[in-house]
Amino acid sequence: MHLCALTLASLPTDIHTPTYDRRRYAPGVVHLGLGAFHRAHQAMVFDHLLATGDTRWGIYGIGMTRPDLVNQLRAQDGLYAVRVADGTGVKWQVPGALWRMSVATTEREAVVQAMAAPATRWVTLTVTEKGYTPALGQLLLDGLRLRQQNGLPGITVASCDNLQGNGHKLLALVKAAAAAQDGELLRWMDAQCAFPCSMVDRIVPAATAEVLAAASQALGLRDDASLSTEGFWEWVIEDRFADPSDAALLQSAGVRVTRDVHSYEEAKLRMLNGSHTAMALMGAVTGRPFIASCIAEPHIREFVFRLMGQEVAPHLSRSDWADYRTALIARFGNPYLKHSVHQIATDSSQKIPQRWPPSVLGQIDQGASTEHHALAAAVFVRYTLAIDEQGQAYALNDPQAESLMAQGAAQRTEPETCVRSLLAREDLWGSALPQHASWIERVTHWHQQVLQHGVDAAVQQLIEA
């Protein structure tokens, strides 16, 4: 038997399940990007609010391109189990906030109507960095236009992706989709809608057969949509809402509401995400499958510790960065999080520009060392060969995979030319960094070490220097 509304009552009593009515009320949140992260993060926050008796936080979840996931969740009435596991133990929870589902590519009109529904108060997004396209801007604009035409109030539209200033970027994307005759709509948006910036943080690996088997054992039911995550979570959101009373509600559920999202945002992007990318590339090249496999190695753990402390932290405004670093090291080593290095390395060309160059340029401006980032960049160049140090091929799952592999192919025969070619790309490094000869020289040096001696030896050499 599958997990669904009819079987919910049969679950063991130690599993937290929804006790609120999931059928009586219309969803108040439309979420675009119905992946694992949202379901183990914001959906659990909204589940908490629903459990307090506030019925306005049910979710209409939109799969952007994946009908298979939407069909799985529909078959289970939007229910799924989440394993929350860390050093304090393991517990299972079935959040109940996901009430309806659609697929954007095949049910676009339903998505527009959902955004314009009278009960809708929020639209949230986790579409990843590459999802911020003109088509997304047009979809949101169409939903907002219909709200305005129907005489409905404005809503909060919250990006929850790893983009700096994500609320500003999202608003600009929506306005860019507007035509000249949309002046009245834009004035309505400015007056009634809110696009807060936010930072979200929780490690949620893609589901594995091990998680599905563990869920089946814990639930006594089959659950094809189960997930595993850590105990830690953080959601920092700008105090900018269409309904100002939402601030206190979110705070009651553990969300940090502040005017200063930026300091948390940059720390997360450069410390957690920047380290994640570095380790994922190292793991892919050395053949280590998971982040926990990488951080378990003393030399990689020391590399990450020093990368964050010596080259990232000096350019952060988050004052408790040292405590944050300690927590990150522990989180990376969580044995329950089988976080695939190839999953994290996905779309590296979209992620690196956000995560590494700001710290490197900060170090250069201060005349300080960039060695850890230079080695990480060298490993990225090596990664474009698409074959690990044991001779096993892997796929580059990246929008720029073809051009990256074409440029990287020459590194065996013309390594310096290859490094210079990849470091000259402004889509990866911005316009300033490719102009710094000292940076190019250090990446070239570490690339030579990686090619000649391997990633582990190069990391060892750096931390022993």
Side-chain angles (χ1 to χ4, degrees), residues 24-25 35 50 57 82 122 144 186 228 242 263 311 338 358 374 401 458 465:
R24 182 178 173 187
Y25 304 99
L50 288 163
W57 299 95
V82 179
W122 278 57
L144 293 172
L186 294 177
S228 180
S263 63
E311 297 186 20
K338 306 294 187 184

Side-chain angles (χ1 to χ4, degrees), residues 242-320:
D243 181 348
S245 69
D246 287 345
L249 285 171
L250 290 172
Q251 286 176 318
S252 74
V255 178
R256 189 190 300 261
V257 179
T258 177
R259 282 289 178 180
D260 178 28
V261 174
H262 179 70
S263 63
Y264 297 93
E265 177 185 74
E266 66 179 3
K268 193 251 181 170
L269 275 170
R270 301 183 199 176
M271 291 182 75
L272 188 157
N273 299 132
S275 298
H276 246 174
T277 294
M279 281 189 288
L281 297 170
M282 289 178 179
V285 173
T286 61
R288 294 184 176 96
F290 306 117
I291 288 297
S293 319
C294 297
I295 204 70
E297 299 290 342
H299 62 290
I300 295 180
R301 185 165 60 251
E302 180 65 18
F303 172 88
V304 170
F305 186 85
R306 286 167 44 165
L307 172 76
M308 290 192 281
Q310 295 179 12
E311 297 186 20
V312 177
H315 316 289
L316 298 178
S317 53
R318 180 166 178 166
S319 59
D320 64 345

Side-chain angles (χ1 to χ4, degrees), residues 36-56:
F37 180 81
H38 168 72
R39 290 184 289 125
H41 189 278
Q42 288 149 310
M44 296 179 78
V45 175
F46 297 148
D47 174 73
H48 174 87
L49 291 171
L50 288 163
T52 68
D54 190 337
T55 59
R56 301 175 299 167

Side-chain angles (χ1 to χ4, degrees), residues 1 75 100 105 107 124 174 215 276 281 299 307 313 318 323 329 341 354 383 406 429:
M1 294 178 67
R100 297 181 191 168
T105 50
E107 301 168 284
T124 56
V174 174
H276 246 174
L281 297 170
H299 62 290
L307 172 76
R318 180 166 178 166
D323 292 339
I329 296 291
V341 296
Q354 301 274 338
Y383 170 75
W429 312 105

Side-chain angles (χ1 to χ4, degrees), residues 103-181:
V103 182
T105 50
T106 57
E107 301 168 284
R108 188 182 190 278
E109 183 58 28
V111 178
V112 172
Q113 293 290 338
M115 289 190 283
T120 297
R121 306 174 64 251
W122 278 57
V123 172
T124 56
L125 300 91
T126 49
V127 297
T128 75
E129 292 90 333
K130 66 181 178 181
Y132 286 75
T133 64
L136 174 67
Q138 188 64 55
L139 178 65
L140 291 165
L141 186 71
D142 289 349
L144 293 172
R145 179 186 287 112
L146 190 55
R147 286 193 74 83
Q148 185 238 0
Q149 290 174 347
N150 292 344
L152 292 169
I155 56 176
T156 297
V157 186
S159 167
C160 300
D161 283 302
N162 291 322
L163 291 166
Q164 288 187 301
N166 50 22
H168 306 311
K169 287 183 170 65
L170 188 60
L171 176 58
L173 188 70
V174 174
K175 287 188 172 182
Q181 65 268 27

